[in-house]
């Protein structure tokens, strides 16, 4: 599950191919073009960090791209957060070319074409992030191709993690790695919430407040339409009317949010996290059997099967694992 490669250790006439193969294994299939004369020198380190994969690159001038010919359907949405800590990066994906400043984080959709140009020697820290581990209302697909500025506190903290912690993920044991991976996902969730546009109508505002109340009180066993309406100071009947145009009723929404939160917890922490009973209790399920039935209905497998299949070491398809 660990990849470390230095092209200085391989014959010069094979360096380009070896480097391209290493990047394709650590990231996704990409095309590498050297943009300076001389042999292509570089070092790549890739490690697991809980449900994430971290990648650190130290290399000379080059262009790393994913053209349409290399793109293929992904089994799940996967993105990368990238931070250039030395040198200069020029980033483009589905929009204007961006030149991120110091501590700005690039959001890359790994399933779609993109290009990263490095006109001088550089160091890049990157972390793979499966969308399914997030709960933010705005998916990373809407942020792809953009950069996150460190003006926001959550972005600054994420930048610090990318710079000082994730670049040496191999030093952490399984439990610490799982917790750090969870913190990364939590920070991205916070950033996604901050990026969400403000509601524009009174109805949208009430729906947003209802959703926020539900998400903040999933652990309360008495959470239901009555308690949500009471918190919003409206009648239960009016609350149901607000959700007439939504995909789910309030009651079904609460159960869906609870199951999704449990799934994220199991996937983020894998075998090193809380027990299934603790996960169920934390998210408001009255019993383990109720939790198991609701989970199986939503995902087609039991909570324990979910954790073993899609948890700690299965965030990436085997074809992309090093």
């Amino acid at each position: 599950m660990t990849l470390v490669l230095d092209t200085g250790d391989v014959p010069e006439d094979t360096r380009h191919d070896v480097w391209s193969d290493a990047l394709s294994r650590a990231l996704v299939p990409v095309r590498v073009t050297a943009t300076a004369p001389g042999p292509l020198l570089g070092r790549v380190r890739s490690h697991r960090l809980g449900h994430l994969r971290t990648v650190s690159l130290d290399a000379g001038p080059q262009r790393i791209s994913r053209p349409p010919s290399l793109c293929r359907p992904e089994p799940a949405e996967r993105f990368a957060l990238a931070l250039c800590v030395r040198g200069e990066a020029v980033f483009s994906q589905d929009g204007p070319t961006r030149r991120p400043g110091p501590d700005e984080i690039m959001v890359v959709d790994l399933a779609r074409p993109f290009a990263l140009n490095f006109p001088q020697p550089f160091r890049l820290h990157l972390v793979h992030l499966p969308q399914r581990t997030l709960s933010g209302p705005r998916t990373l697909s809407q942020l792809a191709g953009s950069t996150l500025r460190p003006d926001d506190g959550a972005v600054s903290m994420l930048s610090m993690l990318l710079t000082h912690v994730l670049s040496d993920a191999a030093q952490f044991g399984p439990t610490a790695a799982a917790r750090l991976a969870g913190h990364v996902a939590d920070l991205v969730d916070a950033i996604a919430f901050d990026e969400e546009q403000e509601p524009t109508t009174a109805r949208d505002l009430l729906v947003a407040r209802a959703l926020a109340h539900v998400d903040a009180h999933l652990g309360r066993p008495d959470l239901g339409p009555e308690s949500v309406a009471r918190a919003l100071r409206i009648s239960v009947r009016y609350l149901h009317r607000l959700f007439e145009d939504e995909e789910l009723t309030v009651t079904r929404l609460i159960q869906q949010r609870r199951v999704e939160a449990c799934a994220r917890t199991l996937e983020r922490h894998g075998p090193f996290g809380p027990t299934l009973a603790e996960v169920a209790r934390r998210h408001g399920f009255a019993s383990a059997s109720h939790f198991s039935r609701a989970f199986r209905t939503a995902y087609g497998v039991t909570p324990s099967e979910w954790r073993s299949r899609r948890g700690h070491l299965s965030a990436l398809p085997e074809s992309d694992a090093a």
Side-chain angles (χ1 to χ4, degrees), residues 42-285:
R43 187 170 190 264
V44 56
R45 292 174 296 158
S46 177
H47 303 285
R48 292 286 190 183
L49 186 77
H51 66 278
L52 307 179
R53 173 182 284 279
T54 67
V55 180
S56 293
L57 303 178
D58 287 271
Q62 61 188 271
R63 184 177 190 268
I64 302 171
S65 64
R66 184 160 166 82
S69 59
L70 291 182
C71 295
R72 65 180 188 272
E74 296 286 339
E77 290 181 295
R78 285 195 291 136
F79 300 83
L81 305 178
L83 178 67
C84 190
V85 296
R86 190 182 69 212
E88 178 187 359
V90 182
F91 169 49
S92 60
Q93 181 170 61
D94 294 343
T97 298
R98 299 179 181 274
R99 297 176 180 269
D103 299 327
E104 283 191 34
I105 298 172
M106 296 171 276
V107 183
V108 187
D109 184 342
L110 295 174
R112 304 208 316 270
F114 66 83
L116 286 164
N117 288 289
F118 301 97
Q120 54 191 261
F122 69 95
R123 173 174 295 169
L124 183 79
H125 296 326
L126 178 148
V127 59
H128 284 263
L129 194 66
Q131 170 66 29
R132 64 177 180 259
T133 63
L134 304 176
S135 62
R138 191 179 190 201
T139 66
L140 282 176
S141 61
Q142 294 172 279
L143 294 173
S146 67
T147 58
L148 305 176
R149 300 177 62 85
D151 306 337
D152 175 77
V155 176
S156 296
M157 292 181 66
L158 186 58
S159 178
M160 290 177 60
L161 276 175
L162 286 169
T163 303
H164 302 294
V165 179
L166 302 185
S167 60
D168 197 13
Q171 67 179 303
F172 300 107
T175 301
R179 290 182 180 274
L180 278 170
H183 291 326
V184 172
D186 287 339
L187 285 172
V188 176
D189 270 342
I191 293 166
F193 274 106
D194 286 344
E195 292 285 342
E196 187 72 2
Q197 292 183 350
E198 292 294 324
T200 57
T201 67
R203 177 193 172 280
D204 290 343
L205 177 61
L206 282 173
V207 170
R209 287 177 57 196
L211 293 174
H213 181 82
V214 167
D215 288 337
H217 297 87
L218 290 177
R220 291 181 50 178
D222 63 340
L223 180 65
E226 293 79 10
S227 63
V228 175
R230 189 163 53 249
L232 270 59
R233 299 185 178 181
I234 60 177
S235 68
V236 175
R237 182 178 180 181
Y238 186 51
L239 176 66
H240 287 308
R241 285 181 58 193
L242 289 174
F243 279 80
E244 284 179 348
D245 295 332
E246 302 296 319
E247 294 181 0
L248 298 172
T249 65
V250 178
T251 300
R252 293 188 65 184
L253 170 73
I254 291 171
Q255 176 149 305
Q256 176 180 292
R257 292 285 228 243
R258 279 175 167 158
V259 171
E260 290 174 347
C262 290
R264 285 192 299 274
T265 297
L266 295 175
E267 186 156 14
R268 287 180 181 182
H269 300 293
F272 305 100
T275 65
L276 297 180
E278 289 174 323
V279 171
R281 186 170 57 252
R282 286 182 189 179
H283 296 94
F285 284 99

Side-chain angles (χ1 to χ4, degrees), residues 5-7 10-11 14-24 44:
L5 179 135
D6 192 326
T7 59
V10 300
T14 67
R15 285 177 184 171
H16 184 277
D17 291 341
V18 169
W19 179 251
S20 297
D21 179 66
L23 293 193
S24 293
V44 56

